[in-house]
Amino acid sequence: MQLFSWGKKSDQTVQIKEIITNISSSTIDILHKGEKVTIEIPFIDEASVQNAIHCLCVLFILKKNNEEILHRFQSLYSIAMRLEMKEGINHCSIINDSYSNDLYSLGIALDFLNQQKQHKRRTLILSDILQSGMEPKKLYSQVSALLLQKNVDRLFGIGPDIFSQQKQFSSIKNNSFFKTTEEFLRNVFLSDLSDETILIKGARSFEFERISHLLEQKVHQTVLSINLNSIVYNLKKYKEQLEPQTKIMAMVKAFSYGSGSYEIASVLEFNKVDYLAVAYPDEGVELRKAGITLPIMVMNIDNSTFDSILNYNLEPEIFSFALLNDFTSFLKKSEIDDYPVHIKIDTGMHRLGFMENEIDLLCKKISGNQFIKVKSIFSHLAASEDPKQDDFTSYQFSLFKSCCSKIEKSLGYSFLKHIANTSGISRHPRLQMDMVRLGIGLYGIDGNVHMQKLLKNVSTLTTTISQIKKISAGETVGYGRMGKVEKDSTVAVVRIGYADGYSRTLGNGKGKMLLKNKLVPVIGNVCMDMTMLDVSAIKNLKEGDEVIVFGEALTLQMLSSWAQTIPYEIMTGISARVKRIYYEE
Ligand SMILES: *Cc1c(COP(=O)(O)O)cnc(C)c1O
């Protein structure tokens, strides 16, 4: 047997000397039979790098010539292998997974469909499953069982095989079958599809992009793409920082820090966080309407929203005596006992909450109050990210503990206690208590450098070039003629402006965007709907080319430092007209 191995050690057939990660490519230096070889691949993720090295080994075994090998690696490109969710026509949500179709990937896509609760009906458009190596009869009986198990309500089957096996799908009441994609397009009225979640799942040769094209709402060319796998990954990384029994409350306020509402909440629910928290009642109502069943804490309520709090089973934060009195009277009038509430203590943030000197009166008011049930007591750290403030953080923690024990004694029952936010978790593991409130970390940002390295990027904001033009030395660009060029230059106009959340402070060279892997500066003032870039340094541009505003390589931290703000503000400031696309890889 011929053994062929690769690895970092010198006794491997192919020895990896170094892997250098560039902005969007990797350079791999290797030693094979005493010869140095360098390959460059247009990927940076670990899996792709490993795959490439495996392929390289095979090429060595097949004795392919080195030049040919290098050339071929360079011409690799990444293919869209992801499952995307977009807004569709007629209030539908469209899940597009028309890149492949086999039993295994169908199972994954159906799980994703099944998690979606924003519409009552779940619809599947499915092509023949090719090359399964199974008899059609056996194959489609398995498919049929799978659809039943994953709660598919309506099926469109497309292809000769599924057409011939349609009897097997009688358990799904609403079904119809077509021999070709063409036939489906001719016979199904798009207006028949409304207010449902539609999974489009087909083998390449069925060209289901023709269907998804019709069903997806046309997007304005500036898009925020949200990688749902990365959210799950980041959640797991924080779980690993915690004791196994510590609960997690996921903060999904402000449209999940700008990234979405039920789309994010349903992923978190599926991945078993313990609680969700929103800022205002409306945000909680939206989650309930989309079928989210996790307990939801609402941090900022007032008398006018008591009704929806009760109707939608939301759990309010009580932060003042006025609110406690009013909410108690409301519960009394509604004849409700033991309504779950969360009490906020102000230990130094001086935002909402009961102060230390109010705790005795608070104890008096809530012990024996049959109308409420205290689910948790919490406080918020003012500077958990800052080492210089660690003494203050410890002070807040000990004050919180003493308030809790007072209240616990007087109340006679116990409740969850929590104080740590994202940097609380990553910088102060001893403050995790019964639960932590994980916010920005879920979305891939942590001020702690060590933790930041463990996280994956979640959001990528991209836009496109609408026009490219040449201007001469001495001419100016934009309002106020602020962008003056010293030499002949090329300017690209991109489809994003301050109305989309691209701050005006990024004008005149402060901000940069990533174009063909190079940073290019903003020239002149940022306009409401557009921004101009000086692209003189880049060749072969064309209108329609994609530009990255932030993402993996050009990070939110870089952008927020240019704009002299914090990632939180940039994330939550991406305006509603920027379409969100959710995907799983
Ligand atoms: C927003 C918020 C959090 C989460 O903070 P991050 O820094 O994003 O983790 C936690 N607790 C309260 C009360 C909040 O308002």
Side-chain angles (χ1 to χ4, degrees):
M1 187 188 295
Q2 184 195 352
L3 287 178
F4 201 103
S5 60
W6 66 266
K8 291 211 161 127
K9 294 207 188 109
S10 61
D11 58 352
Q12 314 278 1
T13 326
V14 166
Q15 189 192 354
I16 311 299
K17 299 294 261 186
E18 193 172 16
I19 301 177
I20 302 166
T21 310
N22 315 314
I23 282 187
S24 63
S25 67
S26 307
T27 311
I28 309 171
D29 284 334
I30 57 181
L31 199 61
H32 174 231
K33 290 194 179 155
E35 195 185 346
K36 269 201 197 147
V37 183
T38 299
I39 59 165
E40 187 165 341
I41 53 166
F43 308 108
I44 52 172
D45 63 291
E46 172 94 22
S48 299
V49 169
Q50 290 203 12
N51 284 342
I53 297 174
H54 282 125
C55 293
L56 184 65
C57 291
V58 174
L59 292 167
F60 282 147
I61 292 170
L62 296 175
K63 303 203 170 25
K64 296 290 175 194
N65 102 32
N66 276 5
E67 222 162 284
E68 173 76 9
I69 293 180
L70 298 188
H71 171 69
R72 296 232 169 183
F73 270 104
Q74 256 160 32
S75 59
L76 289 174
Y77 56 93
S78 40
I79 47 171
M81 285 270 287
R82 57 190 211 181
L83 179 158
E84 292 182 335
M85 180 159 72
K86 297 182 185 170
E87 249 174 82
I89 55 167
N90 309 333
H91 299 289
C92 290
S93 299
I94 310 294
I95 304 171
N96 189 355
D97 190 12
S98 54
Y99 304 107
S100 65
N101 192 14
D102 53 70
L103 263 184
Y104 180 71
S105 69
L106 177 62
I108 293 175
L110 285 171
D111 270 335
F112 188 74
L113 177 68
N114 198 16
Q115 280 170 44
Q116 305 306 319
K117 297 169 187 158
Q118 62 270 37
H119 310 289
K120 280 232 173 65
R121 185 148 71 177
R122 295 187 185 83
T123 299
L124 169 65
I125 304 179
L126 179 69
S127 81
D128 279 357
I129 295 177
L130 305 174
Q131 298 168 336
S132 71
M134 277 188 200
E135 285 295 310
K137 196 162 170 203
K138 187 163 167 222
L139 173 63
Y140 291 99
S141 94
Q142 284 192 18
V143 173
S144 166
L146 193 59
L147 303 197
L148 202 60
Q149 186 199 346
K150 305 292 181 188
N151 301 312
V152 170
D153 304 297
R154 158 141 107 151
L155 169 68
F156 295 97
I158 300 176
D161 285 354
I162 199 167
F163 186 88
S164 72
Q165 297 295 323
Q166 53 183 281
K167 286 217 178 70
Q168 300 218 46
F169 293 93
S170 55
S171 55
I172 296 168
K173 283 215 183 61
N174 199 332
N175 64 42
S176 41
F177 295 85
F178 309 88
K179 287 205 178 105
T180 62
T181 305
E182 207 40 52
E183 201 180 301
F184 168 85
L185 290 171
R186 253 185 287 122
N187 288 290
V188 174
F189 292 108
L190 295 182
S191 54
D192 268 3
L193 299 162
S194 104
D195 196 15
E196 51 202 292
T197 310
I198 306 173
L199 169 62
I200 305 177
K201 180 82 183 146
R204 265 266 181 249
S205 60
F206 284 89
E207 298 182 340
F208 273 11
E209 57 274 13
R210 292 166 64 197
I211 303 178
S212 56
H213 236 75
L214 292 175
L215 293 178
E216 282 166 12
Q217 219 169 51
K218 302 292 166 274
V219 298
H220 158 197
Q221 303 251 20
T222 299
V223 171
L224 185 67
S225 317
I226 291 127
N227 184 335
L228 297 175
N229 298 119
S230 296
I231 293 185
V232 175
Y233 182 91
N234 294 341
L235 175 64
K236 197 170 133 225
K237 289 292 142 187
Y238 282 98
K239 264 193 189 149
E240 286 167 12
Q241 312 295 315
L242 300 171
E243 298 297 326
Q245 72 280 4
T246 307
K247 294 183 189 312
I248 295 183
M249 173 181 269
M251 308 306 283
V252 293
K253 60 190 181 194
F255 201 51
S256 295
Y257 291 49
S259 58
S261 74
Y262 57 82
E263 299 91 345
I264 308 297
S266 65
V267 168
L268 295 169
E269 182 165 283
F270 188 75
N271 286 282
K272 308 241 175 325
V273 303
D274 302 279
Y275 252 98
L276 295 174
V278 295
Y280 292 100
D282 284 351
E283 300 175 327
V285 170
E286 190 176 338
L287 296 182
R288 283 282 181 259
K289 282 186 174 161
I292 300 296
T293 55
L294 276 178
I296 300 174
M297 178 173 92
V298 183
M299 294 190 288
N300 206 332
I301 70 163
D302 65 83
N303 302 21
S304 69
T305 56
F306 289 167
D307 260 325
S308 43
I309 292 286
L310 254 60
N311 287 341
Y312 290 93
N313 193 17
L314 305 170
E315 304 182 4
E317 163 185 330
I318 303 291
F319 52 80
S320 70
F321 288 117
L323 188 59
L324 178 62
N325 289 340
D326 291 351
F327 193 60
T328 301
S329 331
F330 184 79
L331 291 169
K332 191 171 175 184
K333 208 169 67 202
S334 314
E335 301 182 0
I336 291 176
D337 284 350
D338 291 331
Y339 196 83
V341 301
H342 303 262
I343 292 185
K344 176 76 159 287
I345 310 291
D346 182 352
T347 55
M349 172 83 171
H350 298 339
R351 201 168 62 178
L352 298 179
F354 293 96
M355 307 282 282
E356 186 186 8
N357 61 12
E358 296 176 315
I359 300 300
D360 288 335
L361 182 58
L362 177 67
C363 286
K364 223 184 265 167
K365 295 239 177 198
I366 58 177
S367 52
N369 180 332
Q370 75 208 67
F371 306 106
I372 60 169
K373 166 92 188 188
V374 177
K375 296 296 277 225
S376 87
I377 299 213
F378 72 109
S379 186
H380 195 38
L381 297 170
S384 57
E385 72 289 345
D386 186 357
K388 288 201 286 296
Q389 301 291 350
D390 283 352
D391 286 346
F392 186 73
T393 300
S394 299
Y395 161 78
Q396 282 195 281
F397 180 57
S398 58
L399 176 57
F400 180 58
K401 275 195 306 191
S402 82
C403 292
C404 282
S405 59
K406 252 190 194 169
I407 299 172
E408 199 153 40
K409 228 178 263 154
S410 114
L411 211 52
Y413 61 85
S414 113
F415 41 79
L416 297 172
K417 303 169 199 71
H418 46 112
I419 193 165
N421 63 340
T422 296
S423 339
I425 303 170
S426 54
R427 295 199 58 250
H428 308 280
R430 66 184 184 92
L431 307 194
Q432 61 186 273
M433 308 189 83
D434 302 318
M435 183 153 79
V436 292
R437 298 187 307 273
L438 178 57
I440 200 155
L442 270 178
Y443 312 100
I445 307 283
D446 193 314
N448 179 351
V449 186
H450 170 69
M451 193 69 210
Q452 178 67 56
K453 280 201 192 119
L454 299 177
L455 301 179
K456 284 197 175 164
N457 183 56
V458 170
S459 305
T460 306
L461 180 61
T462 54
T463 184
T464 51
I465 298 181
S466 28
Q467 192 176 26
I468 300 171
K469 56 184 41 164
K470 305 242 181 260
I471 57 170
S472 312
E475 291 191 293
T476 64
V477 177
Y479 284 120
R481 306 194 60 205
M482 296 296 285
K484 184 160 179 176
V485 300
E486 314 261 288
K487 51 183 195 323
D488 293 358
S489 303
T490 314
V491 170
V493 184
V494 294
R495 296 182 165 98
I496 188 170
Y498 57 77
D500 300 289
Y502 196 73
S503 168
R504 202 163 168 282
T505 58
L506 290 160
N508 302 305
K510 297 251 166 45
K512 298 180 183 62
M513 297 190 194
L514 197 61
L515 179 54
K516 296 207 190 282
N517 294 323
K518 293 212 178 75
L519 287 175
V520 290
V522 172
I523 178 164
N525 283 321
V526 172
C527 310
M528 188 187 290
D529 313 300
M530 284 174 260
T531 297
M532 281 71 88
L533 303 172
D534 183 345
V535 297
S536 307
I538 301 184
K539 292 191 193 67
N540 299 329
L541 284 185
K542 51 183 191 320
E543 288 163 4
D545 277 353
E546 186 180 86
V547 180
I548 297 176
V549 181
F550 66 74
E552 178 115 41
L554 193 178
T555 61
L556 263 166
Q557 284 93 333
M558 290 161 79
L559 187 63
S560 49
S561 77
W562 294 334
Q564 302 204 354
T565 179
I566 52 176
Y568 296 78
E569 188 179 0
I570 303 240
M571 291 164 77
T572 55
I574 311 294
S575 71
R577 81 169 177 197
V578 174
K579 288 287 181 303
R580 270 70 171 167
I581 293 181
Y582 302 90
Y583 67 96
E584 280 197 359
E585 266 159 353

